[in-house]
Amino acid sequence: MSNDDQPPANGPFEGPEKLLEIWFAPSAADCPDAPAPGTPGPDGGKFGLRKVSRAVWEEMLDIVKCKILSVVEGMEMDAYLLSESSFFVSPHRLILKTCGTTLNLLGVPRILQIAREHADFPSVYRLFYSRKAFMFPERQHGPHRDWRAEIEFLDNLFPNGAAYTVGKVNGDHWLLYLTAPSDNSFGGSSNGSTAPSSPQVPPHDIAAETEADSSEVRADSPVDEPPVSVDEDNIASDYTIEILMTHLSPQGRAPFFSKDPPAETHDTSGADALALSSEIGINNIFPSHITTLDAYSFYPCGYSCNALLKWRPDAGENPARSGEGYYTIHVTPEEGWSYASFECNVPLPTKPTDKSTSVPDLKTLIRRVVDIFRPGKITLTLFISCEDNDATEEEEGESAVETAQRAFKSALTHSSRRNGGEGAASSAGLYKRTDKINYEFGGYDLAFASFELRSPSSP
């Protein structure tokens, strides 16, 4: 990466990520070596893909052209911070998110081999690959040079894939490739209900309180925190929100430029990044006592973080009932190609709460993230999975995706007071919606929307 005044000789950096997610089973409970609920698993509680050693994953990532910087081991998943974004490993699923000119798809054959040899997974249950339109497609390598080439690469590996372009082909758009659930194992069908990047939880079976556990918090936080509350208001069983931002404001970009040359070790970059996370409000996106944050500041600019979120008190105790999620943030702050991304798979309530210990509702979360980066353009995607799309009607006949679209619009186009009555309107400004698309797939729905910052003279 570079600073604003001296772009590198090899040109700009591609911030928008390639997001690959592979499910080898419908849930962690379906792993061949899954322990019974309430009993410790082998290898210190790790089973399935989590048994794979760091050295094996590093060999796979060498193919992709990225390195592991650090790792946080959670109750249900491991979060690897990479030189180019993030890698999450659960017993039954992995998520590989890489930016720049990495070769994400070239790692797939090796991933399939690792899953067979180390976790006894003979086949893939579902696969998802998605990305925002590249800023500099001509700089990509291999199958990533063109969407058609990426589709062809995946079609050669998976016979039941489908590709979609969501949004304006000549504007902000989002590309998605997904496969139907495999019939070979687990009784899958063409209308399965497993969605990308999402914990599997019953929609009306969410714990109201989570006990604070200071031993799991890497960033500074009080030892005795009140429990976190999660609103049970029709939270979907599978849930993934992405907020993809470009044209960051000068105020939004400035914190992500390093003031000093790099130190000899990664520890300083990590400590500086954790301090920065606290300073600019990243630590406040979710309650600190359920958050384990891992962050890294790049020199001369750039930032990445992974956070594991223990949103259920019994996280890790039952492989069939997920209680731990994640969020990840990546920032490329250079003027001319500035970009920031936020992704999270914790189910969010639809109604706000004034409690500081609560998991934020969707509208509040969007405002918190956008206020940090103050982008000129925003693309939002939200996957909501359910047993039957026809059964996802909420009160007053509004579907889950329409509820999400309403939250998108309310968060970005309406002035309102900040949480706790702080200040007036969101500091990021007001936006106008430029695109709104809802999709129905087998077993889950997608809400897509794009927004642009209003000029001061706009009505």
Side-chain angles (χ1 to χ4, degrees):
M1 296 184 180
S2 72
N3 59 34
D4 281 341
D5 301 323
Q6 192 71 35
N10 60 353
F13 186 83
E14 184 70 67
E17 300 96 347
K18 312 168 184 81
L19 179 57
L20 172 70
E21 179 161 349
I22 305 178
W23 293 65
F24 292 92
S27 75
D30 294 301
C31 292
D33 57 345
T39 62
D43 300 318
K46 291 192 175 185
F47 60 98
L49 294 169
R50 293 188 73 195
K51 293 187 305 184
V52 179
S53 70
R54 173 170 173 165
V56 172
W57 291 132
E58 286 176 330
E59 181 267 333
M60 181 274 294
L61 292 169
D62 283 342
I63 300 171
V64 178
K65 305 299 183 185
C66 59
K67 301 291 184 183
I68 295 174
L69 300 177
S70 59
V71 60
V72 171
E73 298 181 0
M75 303 296 294
E76 300 176 356
M77 69 177 73
D78 298 325
Y80 293 85
L81 203 57
L82 305 180
S83 55
E84 282 84 5
S85 300
S86 299
F87 180 47
F88 296 93
V89 180
S90 300
H92 64 299
R93 173 195 67 188
L94 58 81
I95 302 163
L96 178 58
K97 185 173 189 175
T98 65
C99 57
T101 56
T102 49
L103 298 166
N104 192 306
L105 293 182
L106 293 190
V108 174
R110 178 58 181 145
I111 289 172
L112 303 185
Q113 183 182 24
I114 291 171
R116 286 193 303 269
E117 295 178 354
H118 294 265
D120 198 23
F121 286 123
S123 61
V124 169
Y125 176 65
R126 295 203 75 162
L127 175 139
F128 303 86
Y129 174 70
S130 64
R131 64 173 174 84
K132 191 179 186 294
F134 289 134
M135 296 181 182
F136 310 102
E138 71 281 358
R139 298 183 61 80
Q140 295 297 317
H141 304 291
H144 298 294
R145 290 192 181 98
D146 179 76
W147 178 229
R148 290 187 183 88
E150 292 174 305
I151 295 171
E152 181 179 1
F153 183 93
L154 289 166
D155 278 346
N156 287 333
L157 292 173
F158 304 99
N160 59 344
Y164 301 85
T165 298
V166 184
K168 299 174 182 176
V169 176
N170 61 344
D172 280 339
H173 62 274
W174 188 71
L175 304 167
L176 171 67
Y177 183 98
L178 73 165
T179 65
S182 169
D183 286 323
N184 297 332
S185 304
F186 316 111
S189 68
S190 59
N191 291 312
S193 61
T194 304
S197 308
S198 310
Q200 293 193 325
V201 295
H204 298 289
D205 187 24
I206 294 177
E209 296 183 348
T210 299
E211 297 296 332
D213 187 348
S214 61
S215 65
E216 293 187 342
V217 180
R218 177 169 173 173
D220 291 337
S221 64
V223 173
D224 295 319
E225 286 278 2
V228 65
S229 63
V230 181
D231 191 347
E232 296 186 35
D233 179 45
N234 290 321
I235 295 177
S237 58
D238 290 330
Y239 196 102
T240 302
I241 174 72
E242 279 192 278
I243 306 174
L244 310 177
M245 298 162 280
T246 61
H247 301 79
L248 309 186
S249 71
Q251 299 94 328
R253 294 188 297 108
F256 301 102
F257 289 88
S258 300
K259 300 178 179 64
D260 301 310
E264 293 297 323
T265 68
H266 291 314
D267 293 342
T268 301
S269 295
D272 290 346
L274 288 175
L276 174 63
S277 303
S278 178
E279 178 184 339
I280 65 177
I282 289 174
N283 280 10
N284 297 326
I285 295 175
F286 279 85
S288 61
H289 64 284
I290 66 167
T291 305
T292 304
L293 184 67
D294 187 19
Y296 193 91
S297 289
F298 295 88
Y299 182 84
C301 67
Y303 169 93
S304 288
C305 79
N306 290 334
L308 293 183
L309 303 165
K310 186 182 176 184
W311 60 278
R312 279 190 189 273
D314 59 351
E317 295 180 10
N318 185 348
R321 173 183 162 106
S322 177
E324 184 173 63
Y326 70 86
Y327 74 74
T328 183
I329 295 174
H330 304 284
V331 186
T332 300
E334 295 99 319
E335 185 177 11
W337 54 87
S338 62
Y339 172 82
S341 68
F342 173 90
E343 178 186 342
C344 178
N345 78 331
V346 173
L348 303 177
T350 58
K351 295 180 180 179
T353 175
D354 293 331
K355 297 178 181 178
S356 61
T357 57
S358 297
V359 169
D361 64 286
L362 178 59
K363 182 171 69 174
T364 298
L365 178 124
I366 292 170
R367 284 179 171 159
R368 288 177 181 177
V369 172
V370 170
D371 277 0
I372 293 170
F373 301 103
R374 308 181 188 186
K377 294 185 177 182
I378 306 171
T379 297
L380 299 106
T381 66
L382 180 66
F383 271 100
I384 303 177
S385 178
C386 54
E387 291 184 2
D388 184 345
N389 284 334
D390 294 333
T392 59
E393 295 293 335
E394 294 192 356
E395 293 181 4
E396 301 179 359
E398 186 175 59
S399 68
V401 290
E402 282 298 338
T403 299
Q405 291 283 10
R406 184 159 49 86
F408 293 170
K409 184 177 181 180
S410 180
L412 297 171
T413 66
H414 298 163
S415 296
S416 67
R417 292 194 170 274
R418 309 280 288 280
N419 283 350
E422 302 173 12
S426 170
S427 61
L430 295 179
Y431 293 80
K432 59 181 179 181
R433 187 169 61 192
T434 57
D435 216 345
K436 171 189 172 183
I437 300 171
N438 295 337
Y439 252 100
E440 289 187 5
F441 302 101
Y444 61 93
D445 297 337
L446 168 69
F448 169 94
S450 57
F451 293 82
E452 291 184 0
L453 186 66
R454 292 183 182 273
S455 64
S457 59
S458 296

